[in-house]
């Protein structure tokens, strides 16, 4: 079945109207402080108007400010975003003066001015003001709108806010948080699918973070209307924010992801190349795609089934004509190293039992209805929207038993061998009204609070992803769940990875995707990617190649296409382009050890794989809005070509030693722009001096062969030093959480290379191939004090010293003399 393209056209016309300034009229400022009372972990301020402001020390660098204006109940204090509430005790003190109260930790001094109530965050060591209120917090006692404003620094820059169609630096931008289904979005379309009300401020090299944990429709005005304030408003709820001291960006992201949770490690195959289409059917077509991949020697790990695998778009069904034997299909694909992911939409077809045709009943609807799991309006009637199956109802995922029930439905897919779940349309999109305006009276259980739609739309996808991820975990406790989501709220990284939705197949979108990925990473979501080379429109071979050169370095690397548009598989554009795509994909597979190691870092620390240069060079002002380049981990610098017909480009290399990845040539950069060749087959790629890049051989899927030999390329810095590591585990089970991993560390300094080994995972026997770039000439190499046979090492004319070593899982020392 084909769907009318006009569906896209109609939503494109519903573009957002011009942005009005934040309106303070009707807002009542919080009153002056009448008394300050010590609490368990901070201070509670009682204000003249009856407001209560609680400042809570969660960590020396993390303070929560929660304000209850008159009439706002203290309970419930619950957030779907927050994963961590029992913080270890941190030292703090409270000092009072007639004009102020000061809450101090080892890192922060929070100076509270009593009248009017203004909060100021200072660096405890230097006294420097990091951030201060521009005016008192305020609320509209009638409508419930809340607002806050922070003084804007003259040279202050902003980052984060998740998935936004904007440049990296958010200064002078205005952004709305309201999850929206926006196919074909362009730079400036706002909002789109996700809402992450967390941003980072940067001034003079020092950063801080602010997370306004409130899921209502919200607006951030970061110097859009004036240069006095960074303003925030939300349509309702509690003014509840977290302040992160920094000053290191990585530290703030670490804390933010401690608060909202980190990405569990996905299975290794999730880093493999994936192919999708709206939609592949019948099953023979799916097998043909897999066979073509193998015949063309293009790597592939996953094929996605879009909505046409379902029977009449009813979730948790299979179309028996198109897919008579899904288990057999999964099995046959599995033998070739290809897994199946199926799409699952939130809309459940409204299908009451038909007494005339009892056999045709749809148990997902009847059961969900009987258990009262579907959302209702305030008058008790079902909320019936319209999506692919026609009239549809939506599960209230704030109910724990409904989440469990939803997760159990996945058995219908996992029993057939489906390896992962792709959740779509979870803004939630409703064709009757994509804006949500007419759904305001929809009630969510929300842990008994019975809160309204306005508070729950932005967290709908988070809770659906939770139901889905937890369901997979229960059904397959020995496997890591893999869930993909389109919409999300802060904390979404705990349950699902994100792709950036219905992007255009254009160079403009390719350029925009770089700051989008980087910003999502700064906002806690490290596993991101786009439809390559874009969902809407055809693009051409050149765009395909350039898009793959970027996609090779995004965690999620999937080719996908809209219905009714020309096929996008890599072989559809002609052999020269196909060959270049193969090169990009083979590079990705060779670099899997590096990518997986960097992904594990993201899991453990929150610091993303795909990084803006600013994250690595926080004091380099040239990187403040540099978003046509990116870092992969801390080692690789990529300068993608994001314009048609471009075969050379300017690349900024921060001061220090770099290497051209392709030629190995060392570069002494002074923080300069340099013109670099960028032929179509090759994205300019550099390695930062001081890094170690682990890699292996190319393969057709991630499970084809063990990583043997394992290559370690060492790129010394100006002092001849380099350090790095390789992370490995079984790539599939949750055993890594119990220490079943192997971390191999390499440290080169002063002519000695130390190999360290940690963890209880036992990889199969394999060889290490170590290459030290720009190595000085040596006469002898010693391993643990004994000379290495001359046949086992060599230094070539380019100065690369190579040696081979059997990995015996033990630490070693190599000396070069
Ligand atoms: O309104 O399932 O973003 O990837 O192919 C379109 C069909 C619904 C939107 C997703 C897209 C998917 C499509 N879906």
């Amino acid at each position: 079945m084909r769907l009318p393209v006009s569906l896209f056209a109609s939503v494109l016309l519903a573009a957002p109207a011009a942005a009005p300034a934040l309106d303070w009229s009707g807002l009542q400022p919080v009153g002056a402080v009448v008394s300050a009372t010590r609490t368990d972990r901070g201070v509670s301020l009682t204000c003249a108007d009856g407001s209560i402001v609680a400042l809570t020390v969660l960590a020396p660098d993390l303070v929560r400010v929660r304000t209850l204006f008159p009439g706002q109940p203290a309970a419930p204090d619950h957030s779907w975003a927050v994963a961590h509430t029992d913080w270890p005790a941190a030292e703090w003190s409270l000092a009072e003066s007639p004009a102020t109260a000061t809450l101090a930790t080892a890192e922060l001094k929070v100076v509270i001015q009593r009248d009017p109530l203004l909060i100021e965050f200072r660096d405890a060591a230097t006294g420097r003001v990091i951030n201060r209120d521009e005016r008192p917090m305020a609320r509209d006692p009638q409508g419930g709108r809340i607002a806050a404003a922070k003084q804007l620094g003259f040279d202050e820059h902003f980052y984060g806010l998740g998935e936004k169609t904007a440049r990296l630096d958010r200064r002078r931008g205005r952004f709305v948080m309201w999850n929206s289904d926006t196919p074909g979005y362009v730079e400036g379309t706002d909002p789109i699918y996700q809402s992450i009300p967390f941003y980072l401020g940067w001034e003079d090299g020092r950063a801080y973070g602010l997370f306004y944990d409130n899921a209502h429709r919200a607006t951030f005005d970061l110097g859009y209307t004036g240069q006095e304030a960074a303003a925030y408003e939300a349509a309702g709820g509690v003014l509840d924010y977290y302040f992160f001291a920094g000053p290191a960006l990585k530290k703030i992201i670490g804390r933010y992801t401690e608060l909202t949770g980190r990405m569990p490690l996905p299975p290794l195959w999730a880093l493999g190349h994936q192919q999708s289409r709206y939609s592949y059917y019948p099953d023979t077509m799916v097998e043909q795609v897999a066979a073509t991949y193998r015949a063309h020697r293009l790597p592939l790990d996953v094929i996605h089934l879009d909505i046409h695998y379902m029977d009449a778009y009813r979730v948790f069904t299979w179309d028996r004509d198109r897919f008579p034997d899904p288990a057999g299909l999964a099995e046959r694909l599995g033998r070739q190293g290809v897994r199946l992911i199926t799409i699952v939409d939130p809309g459940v077809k409204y299908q009451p039992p038909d007494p005339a045709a009892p056999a045709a009943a749809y148990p997902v609807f009847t059961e969900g209805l009987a258990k009262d799991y579907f959302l209702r309006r305030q008058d008790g009637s079902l909320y019936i929207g319209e999506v692919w199956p026609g009239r549809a109802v939506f599960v209230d995922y704030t109910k724990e038993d409904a989440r469990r029930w939803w997760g159990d439905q996945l058995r219908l897919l996992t029993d057939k061998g489906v390896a992962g779940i792709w959740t779509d349309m979870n803004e939630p999109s409703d064709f009757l009204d994509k804006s949500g305006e007419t759904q305001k009276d929809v009630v969510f259980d929300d842990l008994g609070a019975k809160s309204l739609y306005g508070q729950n739309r932005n967290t709908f996808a988070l809770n659906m992803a939770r139901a889905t991820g937890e369901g997979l975990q229960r059904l397959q406790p020995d496997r890591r769940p893999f869930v993909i989501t389109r919409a999300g709220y802060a904390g979404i990284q705990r349950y699902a990875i994100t792709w950036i939705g219905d992007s255009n197949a254009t160079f403009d979108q390719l350029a925009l995707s770089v700051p989008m990925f980087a910003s999502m990473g700064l906002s806690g979501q490290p596993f991101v990617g786009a439809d390559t080379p874009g969902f809407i429109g055809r693009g051409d071979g050149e765009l395909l190649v350039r898009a793959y050169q970027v996609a090779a370095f995004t965690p999620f690397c999937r080719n996908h296409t809209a219905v009714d548009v020309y096929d996008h598989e890599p072989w559809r554009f002609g052999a020269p382009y196909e060959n270049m795509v193969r090169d990009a994909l083979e590079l990705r597979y060779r670099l899997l050890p590096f990518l997986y190691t960097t992904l594990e870092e993201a899991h453990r620390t929150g610091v993303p794989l795909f990084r803006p240069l600013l994250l690595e060079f926080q004091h380099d002002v040239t990187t403040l809005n540099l978003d046509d380049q990116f870092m992969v981990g801390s080692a690789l610098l990529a300068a993608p070509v994001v314009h048609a017909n471009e075969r050379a480009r300017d690349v900024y290399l921060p001061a220090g030693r770099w290497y051209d990845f392709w030629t190995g040539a060392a570069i002494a950069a002074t923080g300069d722009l340099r013109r670099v060749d960028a032929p179509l087959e090759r994205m300019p790629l550099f390695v930062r001096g001081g890094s170690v890049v682990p890699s292996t051989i190319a393969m057709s899927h991630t499970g084809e062969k063990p990583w043997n030999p394992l290559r370690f390329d060492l790129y010394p810095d100006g002092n001849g030093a380099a350090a790095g590591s390789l992370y490995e585990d079984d790539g599939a089970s949750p055993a890594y959480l119990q220490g079943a991993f192997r971390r191999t560390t390499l440290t080169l300094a002063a002519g000695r290379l130390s190999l360290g080994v940690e963890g209880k995972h036992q990889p199969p026997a394999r060889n290490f191939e170590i290459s030290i770039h720009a190595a000085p000439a040596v006469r002898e190499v010693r391993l643990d004090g004994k000379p290495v046979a001359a046949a086992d090492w060599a230094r070539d004319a380019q100065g690369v010293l190579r040696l081979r070593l059997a990995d015996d899982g033990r630490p070693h020392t190599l000396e070069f003399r």
Side-chain angles (χ1 to χ4, degrees):
M1 193 195 129
R2 300 260 137 167
L3 291 152
V5 171
S6 60
L7 267 170
F8 293 123
S10 64
V11 270
L12 286 177
L13 291 175
L22 201 155
D23 176 12
W24 292 89
S25 62
L27 296 182
Q28 243 164 55
V30 65
V33 177
V34 175
S35 67
T37 318
R38 277 174 162 273
T39 60
D40 265 7
R41 318 190 55 127
V43 59
S44 176
L45 312 169
T46 304
C47 307
D49 64 335
S51 296
I52 308 278
V53 182
L55 287 88
T56 311
V57 174
L58 302 178
D61 57 335
L62 177 57
V63 172
R64 180 185 183 191
V65 180
R66 184 168 187 260
T67 299
L68 297 170
F69 290 89
Q72 289 195 287
D77 176 9
H78 170 265
S79 161
W80 297 105
V82 167
H84 184 61
T85 48
D86 57 344
W87 297 84
E91 289 211 7
W92 59 275
S93 63
L94 181 67
E96 293 199 60
S97 78
T100 64
T102 300
L103 182 66
T105 74
E107 296 178 43
L108 274 173
K109 231 182 204 131
V110 188
V111 182
I112 302 150
Q113 182 187 302
R114 292 172 194 259
D115 188 12
L117 201 181
L118 294 170
I119 301 176
E120 185 173 277
F121 296 90
R122 297 184 181 214
D123 183 313
T126 64
R128 180 187 59 93
V129 176
I130 306 171
N131 183 267
R132 64 155 63 109
D133 282 345
E134 192 254 351
R135 60 171 86 197
M137 301 174 280
R139 179 170 185 266
D140 172 357
Q142 264 79 52
R145 193 162 62 96
I146 53 162
K150 302 292 187 178
Q151 218 170 71
L152 197 49
F154 170 74
D155 191 26
E156 189 165 10
H157 301 258
F158 296 104
Y159 304 92
L161 293 181
E163 186 192 47
K164 289 291 166 200
T165 61
R167 298 287 310 272
L168 180 70
D169 182 354
R170 280 37 170 130
R171 175 79 187 242
R172 285 180 196 77
R174 177 188 179 279
F175 304 97
V176 172
M177 300 288 155
W178 189 244
N179 292 359
S180 301
D181 177 4
T182 49
Y185 62 83
V186 293
E187 181 172 351
T189 306
D190 188 75
I192 61 166
Y193 308 101
Q194 299 212 346
S195 298
I196 317 272
F198 165 68
Y199 71 77
L200 300 130
W202 179 105
E203 200 168 14
D204 289 331
R206 288 170 295 235
Y208 65 88
L210 269 170
F211 170 41
Y212 287 93
D213 189 12
N214 177 320
H216 286 82
R217 184 188 186 101
T219 303
F220 288 87
D221 182 325
L222 302 178
Y224 175 84
T225 30
Q227 300 314 310
E228 297 74 41
Y232 160 83
E233 70 166 3
V238 175
L239 185 47
D240 185 3
Y241 71 84
Y242 295 81
F243 186 85
F244 303 79
L249 290 162
K250 286 184 183 175
K251 181 182 172 197
I252 301 163
I253 297 167
R255 270 289 188 230
Y256 170 73
T257 53
E258 190 177 358
L259 178 68
T260 60
R262 299 197 177 117
M263 167 194 71
L265 258 187
L268 176 65
W269 58 258
L271 281 177
H273 179 228
Q274 316 192 14
Q275 178 67 54
S276 183
R277 182 187 217 318
Y278 178 10
S279 305
Y280 286 130
Y281 63 87
D283 54 358
T284 48
M285 152 90 79
V286 177
E287 289 192 69
Q288 202 184 315
V289 171
T292 312
Y293 260 96
R294 293 298 175 244
H296 286 238
R297 292 180 302 102
L298 287 158
L300 184 73
D301 269 79
V302 181
I303 295 181
H304 292 245
L305 299 185
D306 207 327
I307 50 175
H308 292 90
Y309 80 88
M310 293 181 257
D311 177 7
Y313 304 126
R314 294 181 304 177
V315 283
F316 308 120
T317 66
W318 290 89
D319 182 313
R320 286 285 160 190
D321 295 326
R322 293 168 179 164
F323 293 91
D325 177 20
L329 173 67
E331 216 266 321
R332 290 191 297 280
L333 293 174
R335 271 187 260 133
Q336 308 165 57
V338 176
R339 287 176 169 80
L340 273 181
I341 288 181
T342 49
I343 199 167
V344 170
D345 284 357
V348 172
K349 186 178 175 67
Y350 178 82
Q351 192 190 328
D354 176 359
Y362 178 37
V364 182
F365 176 79
T366 43
E367 226 180 276
L369 188 68
K371 294 178 189 279
D372 200 23
Y373 289 158
F374 299 132
L375 291 170
R376 293 178 180 277
R377 297 187 185 270
Q378 269 174 318
D379 66 5
S381 65
L382 274 181
Y383 160 35
I384 303 176
E386 198 174 305
V387 254
W388 300 120
R391 302 221 301 158
V393 292
F394 301 87
V395 172
D396 182 355
Y397 299 105
T398 66
K399 289 183 173 171
E400 191 184 345
D401 48 350
R403 287 201 299 276
R404 187 166 258 277
W405 171 78
W406 178 266
D408 290 346
Q409 306 302 311
L410 296 167
R411 184 186 295 281
L412 185 107
L413 302 166
T414 54
D415 274 359
K416 307 289 184 216
V418 168
I421 302 294
W422 165 23
T423 62
D424 185 26
M425 304 292 283
N426 48 0
E427 292 70 33
S429 186
D430 176 351
F431 299 154
L432 295 178
D433 174 11
K434 280 200 174 189
S435 76
E437 278 302 300
T438 52
Q439 283 113 36
K440 283 181 173 156
D441 62 336
V442 172
V443 186
F444 287 67
D445 181 68
D446 194 15
L447 303 178
K450 311 282 180 209
S451 57
L452 291 174
Y453 188 86
Q455 181 175 336
N456 290 281
R457 175 171 167 122
N458 285 344
T459 49
F460 183 86
L462 175 69
N463 285 321
M464 182 188 178
R466 177 171 177 177
T468 309
E470 290 178 349
L472 286 179
Q473 220 157 14
R474 280 197 313 278
L475 291 169
Q476 311 180 320
D478 55 338
R479 294 197 214 165
R480 302 178 196 170
F482 186 62
V483 179
I484 304 164
T485 185
R486 192 168 71 177
Y489 181 70
I492 188 66
Q493 67 275 4
R494 304 202 297 273
Y495 307 112
I497 72 104
T498 297
W499 102 105
I500 57 173
D502 296 345
S503 55
N504 293 311
T506 60
F507 273 98
D508 281 352
Q509 171 58 36
L510 179 60
L512 180 61
S513 71
V514 175
M516 286 180 77
F517 299 147
S519 301
M520 291 163 88
L522 295 175
S523 313
Q525 174 58 288
F527 206 112
V528 292
D531 293 343
T532 308
F535 181 69
I536 296 169
R538 180 185 171 184
D540 60 13
E542 183 181 358
L543 176 69
L544 181 86
V545 169
R546 293 308 196 188
Y548 261 107
Q549 289 170 351
V550 173
F553 290 105
T554 58
F556 189 53
C557 175
R558 181 179 76 162
N559 181 312
H560 182 50
T561 309
V563 75
D564 282 342
V565 304
Y566 196 85
D567 301 304
H568 276 181
E569 295 93 354
W571 55 83
R572 303 285 184 189
F573 297 77
Y577 300 114
E578 181 188 333
N579 292 339
M580 292 181 229
V581 169
R582 185 181 301 102
D583 286 349
L585 288 174
E586 285 186 350
L587 174 63
R588 177 183 179 90
Y589 277 71
R590 283 206 307 277
L591 286 172
L592 274 175
F594 170 69
L595 296 176
Y596 195 57
T597 298
T598 313
L599 201 64
E600 191 273 338
E601 182 187 351
H603 151 70
R604 187 168 32 85
T605 70
V607 176
L609 179 146
F610 192 106
R611 304 178 185 171
L613 267 70
L614 179 70
L615 191 52
E616 290 296 318
F617 303 96
Q618 186 171 332
H619 296 273
D620 183 341
V621 295
T622 308
T623 69
L624 283 172
N625 204 15
L626 187 64
D627 58 7
D628 66 350
Q629 301 181 196
F630 61 91
M631 301 287 297
V632 187
S634 60
L636 297 184
L637 184 156
V641 173
V642 293
H643 301 108
N645 303 316
E646 206 172 84
R647 297 294 180 268
R649 59 158 288 173
D650 289 340
V651 177
Y652 177 72
L653 294 180
R657 164 117 45 128
W658 294 85
Y659 295 82
D660 183 314
F661 178 83
W662 303 110
T663 65
I667 302 164
T670 52
D672 48 358
L673 268 187
R674 54 189 62 222
R675 195 81 186 149
V676 172
D677 278 346
L680 187 53
E681 62 273 17
R682 203 164 261 206
M683 168 176 69
L685 192 59
F686 301 87
V687 190
R688 187 179 184 178
S691 316
V692 176
V693 180
S695 66
T696 188
I697 45 174
M699 41 189 104
S700 65
H701 61 90
T702 54
E704 191 191 12
K705 299 169 196 161
W707 293 347
N708 187 18
L710 256 173
R711 302 195 169 112
F712 293 100
D713 279 87
L714 283 76
Y715 297 89
D717 63 15
N719 300 318
S725 65
L726 166 72
Y727 173 86
E728 298 167 277
D729 58 25
D730 67 20
S733 84
Y736 72 100
L737 295 167
Q738 265 69 53
F741 62 85
R742 161 81 63 91
R743 198 184 309 277
T744 308
T745 54
L746 292 89
T747 314
L748 175 71
R752 272 170 86 95
L753 172 59
S754 313
L755 273 175
V757 183
E758 179 204 341
K760 53 182 195 232
H761 171 66
Q762 281 299 333
R766 73 274 176 89
N767 290 314
F768 287 166
E769 285 181 10
I770 297 174
S771 302
I772 303 177
H773 295 255
V778 296
R779 283 170 287 115
E780 187 188 45
V781 178
R782 285 173 171 257
L783 173 65
D784 303 325
K786 296 191 195 76
V788 175
D792 285 336
W793 70 273
R795 184 174 171 276
D796 68 16
Q798 276 78 51
V800 182
L801 195 155
R802 294 196 167 80
L803 62 98
R804 248 171 311 148
L805 192 69
D807 172 29
D808 59 6
R810 285 207 280 273
H812 293 288
T813 306
L814 285 155
E815 287 163 285
F816 309 97
R817 309 179 176 199

